[in-house]
Amino acid sequence: MSGPSTYVPKSAIGKWFEQRLPIGGLIHSSFVVFPNPRNLNYFWTFGAILAFMLVAQIATGVALAMHYIPDARFAFNSVENIMRDVNYGWLLRYLHANGATMFFLAVYIHMLRGLYYGSYKAPREVLWILGVIIFLLMMATAFMGYVLPWGQMSFWGATVITNLFSAIPLVGNFITTWLWGGFSVGDPTLNRFFALHYLLPFMIAGVVILHIWALHVPGSNNPAGVEPKTSKDTLPFHPYFTIKDTFAVVCFAIFFAWFVFFVPNYFGHADNYNPANPLVTPQEIVPEWYFLPYYAILRSTPNILFIPAKLAGVLAMFGSIAVFAFLPWLDTSKVRSGSYRPVFRVFFWVFVLCGIGLGYIGSQPVTEGTILAGRILLLGYFAFFLIVLPLLGLLETPLQVPASIADAVLGAHGSTAMLKGASAEPSVKG
Amino acid sequence: MKMRMKAPALRAFAATLVAGALLVGVAGTGARAEGLNSEGYLIPQRQNWSFAGVFGHYDRAQLQRGFKVFHDVCSNCHAASHLTFRELSEPGGPEFTPAQVKALAATYKIQDGPNDSGDMFKRPGKPSDTWPWTFPNDEAAKSALGAVPPDMSLLAKARTVQYGFPYFLAEGLPFFEDEEQGPDYIYALIKEGYTNPPKGFKVPTGLYYNSVIQGSNHLIRMPSPLAMIFDNNGKPNNPKFYTDGTPVTPDQVARDVSAFLMWAAEPKLEERKRMGFNVLVFLGVFASLLYFVKKKIWAGVHDIPPAA
């Protein structure tokens, strides 16, 4: 998409620098003149929102780390010290804790947008798989971050999740002990979780760079799901998409700020304001909301053939995320966008409801009813990937796909009209 | 043309979501289940607190009264390990004068040391000290009381009322937001929880029946704290318990101490809400300006040009 950069620095220093490190040209070709499909809707702003959230989490996190003590004796008190005595510590902590929620909310919308508009299809498979890797890293980071305040939910959540590894045959118990650094969740566990919680966001940032690189090779998918063919189909990234993304990020920040300032503990769990106590098991151990569907899958999976329920649950839980990586090959439809796939569209929303339903089941105490409902929803979840998507491509009759993006925007006029913005060569700026 | 038709559909979808959420919100605040739930627990009701809402702020006089209850009654057994004396005079709290706080702290003996000869010693408390506990450690409290009383400095955030689906959806929304379930719970537990057990319910010695407390089969080790201030007819043992002239009633005392505990758990609430309002106003104006800039930049981009 983006050819060799036409960027010419204006100043002598700029020219001198550009000959030695052409970073100006890189930025210019990636975020200034980069041609984006002109029909992107606001669901395409979540990439920018996620980039903003990653930076916000790292910035608040680094500041919090300056005051936090990763020691089982002091961790809880150090968090409370941040809340009371560090200047704007309460703000940093509420931003960071609610930021995790906002990050996941945005990533779920981003992923579902990709799913709906077929953004994983050729030639964007690698882009998509990098996204799945980012998602996995995010989950690991968020899980370990939730352990750090060392409240009751932190401790018992860590106990439940690390115990999952003991389901692995033969070496399970060995691995669990190795993860804990002892024979139960304790001080060594807290220390390594802190080290990893600080490390992983930078790994995420690294994969995000690859993700954007892989995006800029084929360019963005778009709601019509047809590739740009002429310059009429695209608009330069700046100013059209810089302003649109900025507007969306600020709107998202309003939503974020509401929770931070007025209901900061809405997504939290009251029991995490009780210090960790290995001798008192909470009435209910519930993960953060963004893990609830996976928690439901973990708990609902029955014995499968010779695999015991615990191991089957762990496999199903990791499988429910891993299956996303295979989407490009599971979806056999030639048509990308769900807008032109009437049957797919119905199944897409059924899948979304399955996910929300699993989330609800995950928040409820285990009863026969929730187990049964969990199993039905679990079947629905996997059936969407493993049965519906492969078959639908063969059975479904898609609607007429527009000939070009310009057609999608302007109807039949598109192919002949001279569109504003596209015809003009983007001005070269220094 | 298809893309054209999608915009109204999206808008309708968003509108449905918003309307649905608001409906749930109205239901959530208006028609919450009253009385006992299926397991015989009394569900705490939502109370009116001065610190609720976007412009919420603590009532200084109420916090000072609540502090008196905490000081005279609660702190005989409960610790408040995160609370410092100086916080009692900081802005956004009960706002006692620094002199009052200094005098109050000095009435406590705090263990300090070691001194130059290596001995621990007792000294009068200072405003920078955290609230001293009656007991030297958990074991001493357990041996004296039968259990360790929960630390009170974060109690109002460590307790909650779960109204369940779909009410919890509304609790995050503007106008229905609810971060006061902790004080709701504490108020209900001490004001309404101590009822007579149902017929045939055996209460072991040293324990008390409480219809609000969760997860312990209605049993609580704390005797009714109000019984230390009121006689059996609800008449205060000391009608001048409050020095500001507020009538001493069980309802008032329960309300005051719950409000005090909310402040103890969330001393920065006023600053937070004040800043939050400014942030929302700023972001709102900023977003509106960006919206118009965006409209201007995109103006005419998707217009059908006149036939050439």
Side-chain angles (χ1 to χ4, degrees), chain B residues 97-110:
Chain B
T97 63
Q100 282 174 311
V101 167
K102 208 171 169 189
L104 171 77
T107 60
Y108 290 87
K109 289 272 172 277
I110 309 282

Side-chain angles (χ1 to χ4, degrees), chain A residues 111-124:
Chain A
M111 288 164 70
L112 287 176
R113 186 271 289 153
L115 187 58
Y116 184 86
Y117 292 110
S119 299
Y120 45 81
K121 291 182 189 182
R124 296 183 181 84

Side-chain angles (χ1 to χ4, degrees), chain A residues 159-215:
Chain A
T159 302
V160 169
I161 300 303
T162 47
N163 256 316
L164 296 180
F165 291 91
S166 68
I168 302 167
L170 301 175
V171 292
N173 283 328
F174 171 78
I175 289 178
T176 313
T177 311
W178 177 72
L179 284 174
W180 284 337
F183 295 100
S184 66
V185 173
D187 203 38
T189 328
L190 176 60
N191 250 296
R192 63 192 54 184
F193 276 21
F194 177 61
L196 292 173
H197 183 71
Y198 205 111
L199 168 70
L200 289 187
F202 297 98
M203 292 175 64
I204 292 177
V207 186
V208 164
I209 289 171
L210 295 181
H211 191 65
I212 296 173
W213 188 4
L215 169 71

